[in-house]
Amino acid sequence: MPIGSAFNSGLEGFNRASQGIERASAEINRASIEQQDDAQLAQQRQLTAARSEEAVTAPVAKPARIDEALVNLKVEEFNAKANTQSIQTADDVLGTLIDINV
């Protein structure tokens, strides 16, 4: 495998990992906002029910997408580190080849 190919593969992998990190971060942010909105809605229901003396039912919880997003964030972190190591290794090999040919 040519050195340039190893650099390009590492760089492409790192870019994909960066994009995955951005997606996971956006999903975490979105899930956090939705959870805050759900909590505010539940509080409003409780206040309304307390005023009208109706039975208060617990809100139905949405599936926790934040857990999946956190896992994806960690996976992409490992992908970024692995691709960084690939780039570093290609750089070391290139340095060694230059030293040998000098």
Side-chain angles (χ1 to χ4, degrees):
M1 172 185 254
I3 299 298
S5 220
F7 275 118
N8 288 337
S9 294
L11 186 58
E12 287 174 17
F14 185 81
N15 287 336
R16 281 192 305 273
S18 295
Q19 292 169 355
I21 288 170
E22 288 177 16
R23 280 191 304 272
S25 298
E27 185 63 27
I28 290 168
N29 186 35
R30 190 175 315 119
S32 297
I33 290 171
E34 287 175 2
Q35 285 179 353
Q36 289 173 355
D37 291 345
D38 290 346
Q40 289 175 351
L41 183 59
Q43 287 175 345
Q44 289 175 353
R45 285 182 189 159
Q46 288 176 344
L47 290 174
T48 303
R51 286 187 200 131
S52 63
E53 297 180 9
E54 296 175 359
V56 178
T57 58
V60 177
K62 292 182 181 180
R65 293 184 322 201
I66 197 164
D67 295 341
E68 186 177 325
L70 286 169
V71 169
N72 289 340
L73 182 64
K74 196 64 173 175
V75 167
E76 295 301 340
E77 177 188 352
F78 287 128
N79 285 339
K81 286 180 181 179
N83 284 295
T84 301
Q85 186 61 42
S86 296
I87 294 168
Q88 181 64 44
T89 301
D91 183 52
D92 291 345
V93 168
L94 182 60
T96 301
L97 289 174
I98 290 173
D99 290 342
I100 290 171
N101 289 327
V102 172

Coordinates of all heavy atoms in Angstrom, one line a residue:
M1 N 0.8 -1.2 0.0 CA 0.0 0.0 0.0 C 0.9 1.2 0.0 O 1.7 1.4 0.9 CB -0.9 0.0 1.2 CG -1.7 1.2 1.4 SD -2.7 1.3 3.0 CE -4.3 1.0 2.3
P2 N 0.7 2.1 -1.0 CA 1.5 3.4 -1.0 C 1.2 4.2 0.2 O 0.1 4.2 0.8 CB 1.1 4.1 -2.3 CG 0.4 3.0 -3.1 CD -0.1 2.0 -2.1
I3 N 2.2 5.0 0.6 CA 2.1 5.9 1.8 C 1.0 6.9 1.6 O 0.2 7.1 2.5 CB 3.4 6.6 2.1 CG1 4.5 5.6 2.4 CG2 3.3 7.6 3.2 CD1 4.3 4.7 3.6
G4 N 0.9 7.5 0.4 CA -0.2 8.4 0.2 C -1.5 7.9 0.3 O -2.5 8.5 0.8
S5 N -1.7 6.6 0.0 CA -3.0 5.9 0.2 C -3.3 5.8 1.6 O -4.4 5.9 2.0 CB -2.8 4.5 -0.5 OG -4.0 4.2 -1.1
A6 N -2.3 5.4 2.4 CA -2.5 5.3 3.9 C -2.9 6.6 4.5 O -3.8 6.7 5.3 CB -1.3 4.8 4.5
F7 N -2.2 7.7 4.1 CA -2.6 9.0 4.5 C -4.0 9.4 4.2 O -4.8 9.8 5.0 CB -1.7 10.1 3.9 CG -0.4 10.3 4.7 CD1 0.8 10.1 4.0 CD2 -0.4 10.8 6.0 CE1 2.0 10.3 4.7 CE2 0.8 11.0 6.6 CZ 2.0 10.8 6.0
N8 N -4.4 9.1 2.9 CA -5.7 9.4 2.4 C -6.8 8.6 3.1 O -7.8 9.2 3.5 CB -5.8 9.2 0.9 CG -5.1 10.3 0.1 OD1 -4.9 11.4 0.6 ND2 -4.7 10.0 -1.1
S9 N -6.5 7.4 3.4 CA -7.5 6.5 4.1 C -7.7 7.0 5.5 O -8.8 7.1 6.0 CB -7.0 5.1 4.1 OG -7.0 4.5 2.8
G10 N -6.6 7.3 6.2 CA -6.7 7.8 7.5 C -7.4 9.2 7.6 O -8.2 9.4 8.5
L11 N -7.1 10.0 6.6 CA -7.8 11.3 6.6 C -9.3 11.2 6.3 O -10.1 11.8 7.0 CB -7.1 12.2 5.5 CG -7.6 13.7 5.5 CD1 -7.4 14.4 6.8 CD2 -6.9 14.4 4.4
E12 N -9.6 10.3 5.4 CA -11.1 10.1 5.1 C -11.8 9.5 6.3 O -12.9 9.9 6.6 CB -11.2 9.2 3.9 CG -10.9 9.8 2.5 CD -10.9 8.8 1.4 OE1 -11.5 7.7 1.5 OE2 -10.3 9.1 0.3
G13 N -11.1 8.6 6.9 CA -11.7 8.0 8.1 C -11.9 9.0 9.2 O -12.9 9.0 9.9
F14 N -10.9 9.8 9.4 CA -11.0 10.9 10.4 C -12.1 11.9 10.1 O -12.9 12.3 11.0 CB -9.7 11.6 10.5 CG -9.7 12.6 11.7 CD1 -9.4 12.2 13.0 CD2 -9.9 14.0 11.4 CE1 -9.4 13.1 14.0 CE2 -9.9 14.9 12.4 CZ -9.7 14.5 13.7
N15 N -12.3 12.2 8.8 CA -13.4 13.1 8.4 C -14.7 12.5 8.7 O -15.7 13.2 9.2 CB -13.2 13.5 7.0 CG -12.1 14.5 6.8 OD1 -11.7 15.2 7.7 ND2 -11.6 14.6 5.6
R16 N -14.9 11.2 8.4 CA -16.1 10.5 8.7 C -16.4 10.5 10.2 O -17.6 10.7 10.6 CB -16.1 9.1 8.1 CG -16.3 9.0 6.6 CD -16.6 7.6 6.2 NE -15.5 6.6 6.5 CZ -14.4 6.4 5.8 NH1 -14.2 7.0 4.7 NH2 -13.5 5.6 6.3
A17 N -15.4 10.2 10.9 CA -15.6 10.2 12.4 C -16.0 11.6 12.9 O -16.8 11.7 13.8 CB -14.3 9.8 13.1
S18 N -15.4 12.6 12.3 CA -15.8 14.0 12.7 C -17.2 14.3 12.4 O -17.9 14.9 13.2 CB -14.9 15.0 12.0 OG -13.5 14.9 12.4
Q19 N -17.7 13.9 11.3 CA -19.1 14.0 10.9 C -20.0 13.2 11.8 O -21.0 13.7 12.2 CB -19.3 13.6 9.4 CG -18.6 14.6 8.4 CD -18.6 14.0 7.0 OE1 -19.1 12.9 6.8 NE2 -18.2 14.8 6.1
G20 N -19.6 12.0 12.2 CA -20.3 11.2 13.1 C -20.4 11.9 14.5 O -21.5 11.8 15.1
I21 N -19.3 12.5 14.9 CA -19.3 13.2 16.2 C -20.3 14.4 16.1 O -21.1 14.6 17.1 CB -17.9 13.7 16.5 CG1 -17.1 12.4 16.9 CG2 -17.9 14.7 17.7 CD1 -15.6 12.7 17.1
E22 N -20.3 15.1 15.0 CA -21.3 16.2 14.9 C -22.7 15.7 14.9 O -23.6 16.3 15.6 CB -21.0 17.0 13.6 CG -19.7 17.8 13.6 CD -19.4 18.5 12.3 OE1 -20.3 18.6 11.5 OE2 -18.3 18.9 12.1
R23 N -23.0 14.6 14.2 CA -24.4 14.1 14.2 C -24.8 13.6 15.6 O -25.9 13.9 16.1 CB -24.5 12.9 13.3 CG -24.6 13.3 11.8 CD -25.0 12.1 11.0 NE -24.0 11.0 11.1 CZ -22.9 10.8 10.3 NH1 -22.7 11.7 9.4 NH2 -22.1 9.8 10.5
A24 N -23.9 12.9 16.3 CA -24.2 12.4 17.7 C -24.4 13.6 18.6 O -25.3 13.5 19.5 CB -23.1 11.5 18.2
S25 N -23.6 14.6 18.5 CA -23.7 15.8 19.4 C -25.1 16.5 19.1 O -25.7 16.9 20.1 CB -22.6 16.8 19.1 OG -21.3 16.2 19.5
A26 N -25.4 16.6 17.9 CA -26.7 17.2 17.6 C -27.9 16.4 18.1 O -28.9 17.0 18.6 CB -26.9 17.4 16.0
E27 N -27.8 15.1 18.0 CA -28.8 14.2 18.5 C -28.9 14.3 20.1 O -30.0 14.3 20.6 CB -28.5 12.8 18.1 CG -29.6 11.8 18.5 CD -31.0 12.1 17.8 OE1 -31.0 12.6 16.7 OE2 -32.0 11.7 18.4
I28 N -27.8 14.4 20.7 CA -27.8 14.6 22.2 C -28.5 15.9 22.6 O -29.3 16.0 23.5 CB -26.3 14.5 22.8 CG1 -25.8 13.1 22.6 CG2 -26.3 15.0 24.2 CD1 -24.3 13.0 22.9
N29 N -28.1 16.9 21.8 CA -28.7 18.3 22.1 C -30.2 18.2 21.9 O -31.0 18.7 22.7 CB -28.1 19.3 21.2 CG -28.5 20.7 21.5 OD1 -28.8 21.0 22.6 ND2 -28.7 21.5 20.4
R30 N -30.7 17.6 20.8 CA -32.1 17.5 20.4 C -32.8 16.7 21.5 O -33.9 17.1 22.0 CB -32.3 16.8 19.1 CG -33.7 16.9 18.5 CD -33.8 16.3 17.1 NE -32.7 16.8 16.3 CZ -31.8 16.1 15.6 NH1 -31.8 14.8 15.8 NH2 -30.9 16.6 14.9
A31 N -32.2 15.6 22.0 CA -32.9 14.8 23.0 C -33.0 15.5 24.3 O -34.0 15.4 25.0 CB -32.1 13.5 23.1
S32 N -31.9 16.3 24.6 CA -32.0 17.1 25.9 C -33.1 18.1 25.8 O -33.8 18.3 26.8 CB -30.6 17.8 26.1 OG -29.6 16.8 26.2
I33 N -33.2 18.8 24.7 CA -34.3 19.8 24.6 C -35.6 19.1 24.7 O -36.5 19.6 25.4 CB -34.1 20.6 23.3 CG1 -32.9 21.4 23.3 CG2 -35.3 21.4 23.0 CD1 -32.5 22.1 22.0
E34 N -35.8 18.0 24.0 CA -37.1 17.3 24.1 C -37.4 16.8 25.5 O -38.6 16.9 26.0 CB -37.1 16.1 23.2 CG -37.2 16.5 21.7 CD -37.1 15.3 20.8 OE1 -37.0 14.1 21.3 OE2 -37.1 15.5 19.6
Q35 N -36.4 16.4 26.3 CA -36.6 16.0 27.6 C -37.0 17.2 28.5 O -37.9 17.1 29.4 CB -35.4 15.3 28.2 CG -35.2 13.9 27.7 CD -33.9 13.2 28.3 OE1 -33.1 13.9 28.9 NE2 -33.8 12.0 28.0
Q36 N -36.4 18.3 28.3 CA -36.8 19.5 29.0 C -38.2 19.9 28.7 O -39.0 20.3 29.6 CB -35.8 20.7 28.7 CG -34.4 20.5 29.2 CD -33.5 21.6 28.8 OE1 -33.8 22.4 27.9 NE2 -32.3 21.5 29.3
D37 N -38.6 19.9 27.4 CA -39.9 20.2 27.0 C -40.9 19.2 27.6 O -42.0 19.7 28.1 CB -40.1 20.2 25.5 CG -39.3 21.3 24.8 OD1 -38.9 22.3 25.5 OD2 -39.1 21.2 23.6
D38 N -40.6 17.9 27.7 CA -41.5 17.0 28.3 C -41.7 17.2 29.8 O -42.8 17.1 30.3 CB -41.0 15.5 28.1 CG -41.1 15.1 26.6 OD1 -41.8 15.7 25.9 OD2 -40.4 14.1 26.3
A39 N -40.6 17.6 30.4 CA -40.7 17.9 31.9 C -41.5 19.1 32.1 O -42.3 19.1 33.1 CB -39.3 18.1 32.4
Q40 N -41.4 20.1 31.3 CA -42.2 21.3 31.5 C -43.7 21.0 31.2 O -44.5 21.5 31.9 CB -41.7 22.4 30.5 CG -40.4 23.0 30.9 CD -39.8 24.0 29.9 OE1 -40.4 24.1 28.8 NE2 -38.8 24.7 30.2
L41 N -43.9 20.2 30.2 CA -45.3 19.8 29.9 C -45.9 19.0 31.1 O -47.1 19.3 31.5 CB -45.4 19.0 28.6 CG -46.7 18.6 28.1 CD1 -47.6 19.8 27.9 CD2 -46.6 17.7 26.9
A42 N -45.1 18.1 31.7 CA -45.6 17.4 32.8 C -45.9 18.3 34.0 O -46.9 18.1 34.7 CB -44.6 16.3 33.2
Q43 N -45.1 19.3 34.2 CA -45.3 20.2 35.3 C -46.6 21.0 35.1 O -47.4 21.2 36.0 CB -44.1 21.2 35.5 CG -42.9 20.5 36.1 CD -41.7 21.5 36.1 OE1 -41.7 22.5 35.4 NE2 -40.7 21.2 36.9
Q44 N -46.8 21.4 33.8 CA -48.0 22.2 33.5 C -49.3 21.3 33.7 O -50.3 21.7 34.2 CB -48.0 22.7 32.1 CG -47.0 23.8 31.9 CD -46.9 24.2 30.4 OE1 -47.4 23.5 29.5 NE2 -46.1 25.2 30.2
R45 N -49.2 20.0 33.3 CA -50.3 19.1 33.5 C -50.6 18.9 35.0 O -51.8 18.9 35.4 CB -50.0 17.7 32.9 CG -50.1 17.7 31.4 CD -49.8 16.3 30.9 NE -49.7 16.3 29.5 CZ -49.1 15.3 28.8 NH1 -48.6 14.3 29.4 NH2 -49.0 15.4 27.5
Q46 N -49.6 18.8 35.8 CA -49.7 18.6 37.3 C -50.4 19.9 37.9 O -51.3 19.8 38.7 CB -48.4 18.3 38.0 CG -47.9 16.9 37.7 CD -46.5 16.7 38.3 OE1 -45.8 17.6 38.7 NE2 -46.1 15.4 38.4
L47 N -50.0 21.1 37.5 CA -50.6 22.3 38.0 C -52.0 22.4 37.6 O -52.9 22.7 38.4 CB -49.8 23.5 37.5 CG -48.4 23.7 38.1 CD1 -47.7 24.9 37.4 CD2 -48.5 23.9 39.6
T48 N -52.3 22.1 36.3 CA -53.7 22.1 35.8 C -54.6 21.1 36.6 O -55.7 21.4 37.0 CB -53.7 21.9 34.3 OG1 -52.9 22.8 33.7 CG2 -55.1 22.0 33.8
A49 N -54.1 19.9 36.7 CA -54.8 18.9 37.4 C -55.0 19.2 38.9 O -56.1 18.9 39.5 CB -54.1 17.5 37.3
A50 N -54.0 19.8 39.5 CA -54.1 20.2 40.9 C -55.2 21.3 41.1 O -56.0 21.3 42.1 CB -52.8 20.7 41.5
R51 N -55.3 22.2 40.2 CA -56.3 23.3 40.2 C -57.7 22.7 40.0 O -58.6 23.1 40.7 CB -56.0 24.3 39.2 CG -54.8 25.2 39.5 CD -54.7 26.3 38.5 NE -53.3 26.8 38.6 CZ -52.6 27.0 37.5 NH1 -53.0 26.8 36.3 NH2 -51.3 27.5 37.7
S52 N -57.8 21.8 39.1 CA -59.1 21.2 38.8 C -59.4 19.9 39.6 O -60.5 19.3 39.4 CB -59.3 21.0 37.3 OG -58.4 20.0 36.9
E53 N -58.5 19.5 40.5 CA -58.6 18.4 41.3 C -58.8 17.1 40.5 O -59.6 16.2 40.9 CB -59.7 18.6 42.4 CG -59.4 19.7 43.3 CD -60.4 19.9 44.4 OE1 -61.3 19.0 44.5 OE2 -60.3 20.9 45.1
E54 N -58.2 17.0 39.3 CA -58.3 15.8 38.5 C -57.1 14.8 38.9 O -56.2 15.3 39.5 CB -58.2 16.1 37.0 CG -59.3 17.0 36.5 CD -59.1 17.3 35.1 OE1 -58.1 17.0 34.5 OE2 -60.0 18.0 34.5
A55 N -57.3 13.6 38.5 CA -56.2 12.7 38.8 C -55.0 13.0 37.9 O -55.2 13.3 36.7 CB -56.7 11.2 38.5
V56 N -53.9 12.9 38.4 CA -52.6 13.2 37.7 C -52.1 11.9 37.2 O -51.8 11.0 38.0 CB -51.6 13.9 38.5 CG1 -50.3 14.2 37.7 CG2 -52.2 15.2 39.0
T57 N -51.9 11.7 35.9 CA -51.3 10.5 35.4 C -49.8 10.8 35.0 O -49.5 12.0 34.5 CB -52.0 10.0 34.1 OG1 -52.1 11.0 33.1 CG2 -53.4 9.6 34.5
A58 N -49.0 9.9 35.1 CA -47.6 10.1 34.8 C -47.4 10.2 33.3 O -48.1 9.4 32.6 CB -46.7 9.0 35.3
P59 N -46.6 11.1 32.8 CA -46.5 11.2 31.3 C -45.7 9.9 30.8 O -44.9 9.3 31.5 CB -45.6 12.4 31.1 CG -44.9 12.6 32.4 CD -45.8 12.1 33.5
V60 N -46.1 9.5 29.6 CA -45.4 8.4 29.0 C -44.1 8.8 28.5 O -43.9 9.8 27.7 CB -46.3 7.8 27.8 CG1 -45.6 6.7 27.1 CG2 -47.7 7.4 28.3
A61 N -43.1 8.1 28.9 CA -41.7 8.5 28.6 C -41.4 8.0 27.2 O -41.8 6.9 26.7 CB -40.7 7.9 29.6
K62 N -40.7 8.9 26.5 CA -40.2 8.5 25.1 C -39.0 7.6 25.2 O -38.3 7.7 26.2 CB -39.8 9.8 24.3 CG -41.0 10.6 24.0 CD -40.6 11.8 23.2 CE -41.7 12.7 22.9 NZ -41.3 13.9 22.1
P63 N -38.7 6.8 24.2 CA -37.5 6.0 24.3 C -36.3 6.9 24.4 O -36.2 8.0 23.8 CB -37.5 5.3 23.0 CG -38.8 5.4 22.4 CD -39.5 6.6 23.0
A64 N -35.3 6.5 25.3 CA -34.2 7.4 25.5 C -33.2 7.3 24.4 O -32.4 6.4 24.3 CB -33.5 6.9 26.8
R65 N -33.3 8.2 23.4 CA -32.4 8.3 22.3 C -31.1 8.8 22.7 O -30.1 8.7 22.0 CB -33.0 9.2 21.2 CG -34.3 8.6 20.6 CD -34.7 9.4 19.4 NE -34.5 10.8 19.8 CZ -35.2 11.8 19.2 NH1 -36.1 11.6 18.3 NH2 -34.9 13.1 19.6
I66 N -31.1 9.5 23.8 CA -29.8 10.1 24.3 C -28.8 9.1 24.6 O -27.6 9.3 24.3 CB -30.0 11.1 25.5 CG1 -28.8 12.0 25.6 CG2 -30.4 10.3 26.7 CD1 -29.1 13.2 26.5
D67 N -29.2 7.9 25.1 CA -28.3 6.8 25.3 C -27.6 6.3 24.1 O -26.4 6.2 24.0 CB -29.0 5.6 26.0 CG -29.5 6.0 27.4 OD1 -29.0 7.0 28.0 OD2 -30.4 5.3 27.9
E68 N -28.4 6.1 23.0 CA -27.8 5.7 21.8 C -26.9 6.7 21.2 O -25.8 6.4 20.6 CB -29.0 5.4 20.8 CG -28.5 4.8 19.5 CD -29.7 4.5 18.6 OE1 -30.8 4.1 19.1 OE2 -29.5 4.6 17.4
A69 N -27.3 8.0 21.3 CA -26.4 9.1 20.8 C -25.1 9.1 21.5 O -24.0 9.4 20.9 CB -27.1 10.4 20.9
L70 N -25.1 8.9 22.8 CA -23.9 8.9 23.6 C -23.0 7.7 23.2 O -21.7 7.9 23.1 CB -24.2 8.8 25.1 CG -24.7 10.1 25.7 CD1 -25.3 9.9 27.1 CD2 -23.7 11.2 25.8
V71 N -23.6 6.6 23.0 CA -22.8 5.4 22.5 C -22.2 5.7 21.1 O -21.0 5.5 20.9 CB -23.7 4.2 22.4 CG1 -22.9 3.0 21.7 CG2 -24.1 3.7 23.8
N72 N -23.0 6.3 20.2 CA -22.4 6.7 18.9 C -21.3 7.7 19.0 O -20.3 7.6 18.3 CB -23.6 7.3 18.0 CG -24.5 6.2 17.6 OD1 -24.2 5.0 17.6 ND2 -25.7 6.6 17.2
L73 N -21.4 8.6 20.0 CA -20.4 9.6 20.2 C -19.1 8.9 20.6 O -18.0 9.3 20.1 CB -20.8 10.6 21.2 CG -19.9 11.8 21.5 CD1 -19.6 12.6 20.3 CD2 -20.4 12.6 22.7
K74 N -19.2 8.0 21.5 CA -18.0 7.3 22.0 C -17.4 6.4 20.8 O -16.1 6.4 20.7 CB -18.4 6.4 23.2 CG -17.2 5.9 24.0 CD -16.5 7.1 24.6 CE -15.4 6.6 25.5 NZ -14.6 7.8 26.1
V75 N -18.2 5.8 20.1 CA -17.7 5.0 18.9 C -17.0 5.9 17.9 O -15.9 5.5 17.5 CB -18.9 4.2 18.2 CG1 -18.5 3.7 16.9 CG2 -19.4 3.1 19.1
E76 N -17.5 7.0 17.6 CA -16.9 7.9 16.7 C -15.6 8.5 17.3 O -14.6 8.7 16.5 CB -17.8 9.1 16.3 CG -19.0 8.6 15.5 CD -18.7 7.9 14.2 OE1 -17.6 8.0 13.7 OE2 -19.6 7.1 13.7
E77 N -15.5 8.6 18.6 CA -14.3 9.1 19.2 C -13.2 8.0 19.0 O -12.1 8.3 18.6 CB -14.5 9.3 20.7 CG -13.2 9.6 21.5 CD -13.4 9.7 23.0 OE1 -14.5 9.5 23.5 OE2 -12.4 9.8 23.7
F78 N -13.5 6.7 19.2 CA -12.6 5.7 19.0 C -12.2 5.6 17.5 O -11.0 5.4 17.2 CB -13.1 4.3 19.4 CG -13.2 4.1 20.9 CD1 -14.4 3.8 21.5 CD2 -12.1 4.4 21.7 CE1 -14.4 3.6 22.9 CE2 -12.1 4.2 23.0 CZ -13.3 3.8 23.7
N79 N -13.1 5.8 16.6 CA -12.8 5.8 15.1 C -11.8 7.0 14.8 O -10.9 6.8 14.1 CB -14.1 6.0 14.3 CG -14.9 4.8 14.2 OD1 -14.4 3.7 14.5 ND2 -16.2 4.9 13.9
A80 N -12.1 8.1 15.4 CA -11.2 9.3 15.2 C -9.7 9.0 15.7 O -8.8 9.2 15.0 CB -11.7 10.5 15.8
K81 N -9.7 8.4 16.9 CA -8.4 8.0 17.4 C -7.6 7.0 16.6 O -6.4 7.1 16.3 CB -8.5 7.5 18.8 CG -8.8 8.6 19.8 CD -9.0 8.0 21.3 CE -9.3 9.1 22.2 NZ -9.5 8.6 23.6
A82 N -8.4 6.0 16.1 CA -7.8 4.9 15.3 C -7.3 5.5 13.9 O -6.2 5.2 13.5 CB -8.8 3.8 15.0
N83 N -8.0 6.4 13.3 CA -7.6 7.0 12.1 C -6.4 8.0 12.3 O -5.6 8.1 11.4 CB -8.8 7.7 11.4 CG -9.7 6.7 10.7 OD1 -9.3 6.0 9.8 ND2 -10.9 6.5 11.3
T84 N -6.4 8.6 13.4 CA -5.3 9.5 13.8 C -4.0 8.6 13.9 O -2.9 9.0 13.4 CB -5.5 10.3 15.1 OG1 -6.7 11.0 14.9 CG2 -4.4 11.1 15.5
Q85 N -4.1 7.5 14.5 CA -3.0 6.6 14.6 C -2.5 6.1 13.3 O -1.3 6.0 13.0 CB -3.4 5.4 15.5 CG -2.2 4.5 15.8 CD -1.1 5.2 16.6 OE1 -1.3 6.0 17.5 NE2 0.1 4.9 16.2
S86 N -3.5 5.8 12.4 CA -3.1 5.4 11.0 C -2.3 6.5 10.3 O -1.3 6.2 9.6 CB -4.4 5.1 10.2 OG -5.1 4.0 10.7
I87 N -2.7 7.8 10.4 CA -2.0 8.9 9.8 C -0.6 9.0 10.5 O 0.4 9.2 9.7 CB -2.8 10.2 10.0 CG1 -4.1 10.1 9.2 CG2 -2.0 11.4 9.6 CD1 -5.1 11.2 9.5
Q88 N -0.5 8.9 11.8 CA 0.7 8.9 12.5 C 1.7 7.8 12.0 O 2.9 8.1 11.8 CB 0.5 8.9 14.0 CG 1.8 9.0 14.8 CD 2.5 10.3 14.6 OE1 1.8 11.3 14.7 NE2 3.8 10.3 14.4
T89 N 1.2 6.6 11.9 CA 2.0 5.5 11.4 C 2.5 5.7 10.0 O 3.7 5.5 9.7 CB 1.2 4.2 11.5 OG1 0.7 4.0 12.8 CG2 2.0 3.0 11.0
A90 N 1.6 6.2 9.1 CA 2.1 6.5 7.7 C 3.1 7.6 7.7 O 4.1 7.5 7.0 CB 0.9 6.9 6.9
D91 N 3.0 8.6 8.6 CA 4.0 9.6 8.7 C 5.3 9.0 9.2 O 6.4 9.4 8.7 CB 3.5 10.7 9.7 CG 4.5 11.9 9.8 OD1 4.8 12.4 8.8 OD2 4.8 12.2 10.9
D92 N 5.3 8.2 10.2 CA 6.5 7.5 10.7 C 7.2 6.7 9.6 O 8.4 6.7 9.5 CB 6.2 6.6 11.9 CG 5.7 7.5 13.1 OD1 5.9 8.7 13.2 OD2 5.2 6.8 14.1
V93 N 6.4 5.9 8.9 CA 6.9 5.1 7.8 C 7.6 6.0 6.8 O 8.7 5.7 6.3 CB 5.9 4.2 7.2 CG1 6.4 3.5 5.9 CG2 5.4 3.2 8.2
L94 N 6.9 7.1 6.4 CA 7.5 8.0 5.4 C 8.8 8.6 5.9 O 9.8 8.7 5.2 CB 6.5 9.1 5.1 CG 6.9 10.1 4.0 CD1 7.2 9.4 2.7 CD2 5.9 11.2 3.8
G95 N 8.8 9.0 7.2 CA 10.0 9.5 7.8 C 11.2 8.5 7.8 O 12.3 8.8 7.5
T96 N 10.9 7.2 8.1 CA 11.9 6.2 8.0 C 12.4 6.0 6.6 O 13.6 5.8 6.4 CB 11.3 4.9 8.6 OG1 10.8 5.1 9.9 CG2 12.3 3.7 8.6
L97 N 11.5 6.0 5.6 CA 11.9 5.8 4.2 C 12.8 6.9 3.8 O 13.8 6.7 3.1 CB 10.7 5.7 3.3 CG 9.9 4.4 3.5 CD1 8.6 4.5 2.6 CD2 10.7 3.2 3.1
I98 N 12.5 8.1 4.2 CA 13.3 9.3 3.8 C 14.7 9.2 4.5 O 15.7 9.4 3.8 CB 12.6 10.6 4.2 CG1 11.4 10.8 3.3 CG2 13.6 11.8 4.1 CD1 10.6 12.0 3.7
D99 N 14.7 8.7 5.8 CA 16.0 8.6 6.5 C 16.9 7.5 5.8 O 18.1 7.6 5.7 CB 15.8 8.2 7.9 CG 15.2 9.4 8.7 OD1 15.3 10.5 8.3 OD2 14.6 9.1 9.8
I100 N 16.2 6.4 5.3 CA 17.0 5.3 4.7 C 17.6 5.7 3.4 O 18.7 5.4 3.0 CB 16.1 4.1 4.5 CG1 15.7 3.4 5.9 CG2 16.7 3.0 3.6 CD1 14.7 2.4 5.8
N101 N 16.8 6.5 2.6 CA 17.3 6.9 1.3 C 18.3 8.1 1.3 O 18.8 8.4 0.3 CB 16.1 7.3 0.4 CG 15.3 6.1 0.0 OD1 15.8 5.0 -0.1 ND2 14.0 6.3 -0.1
V102 N 18.5 8.7 2.4 CA 19.4 9.9 2.5 C 20.8 9.4 2.7 O 21.4 8.6 2.8 CB 19.0 10.8 3.7 CG1 20.1 11.9 3.8 CG2 17.7 11.4 3.4

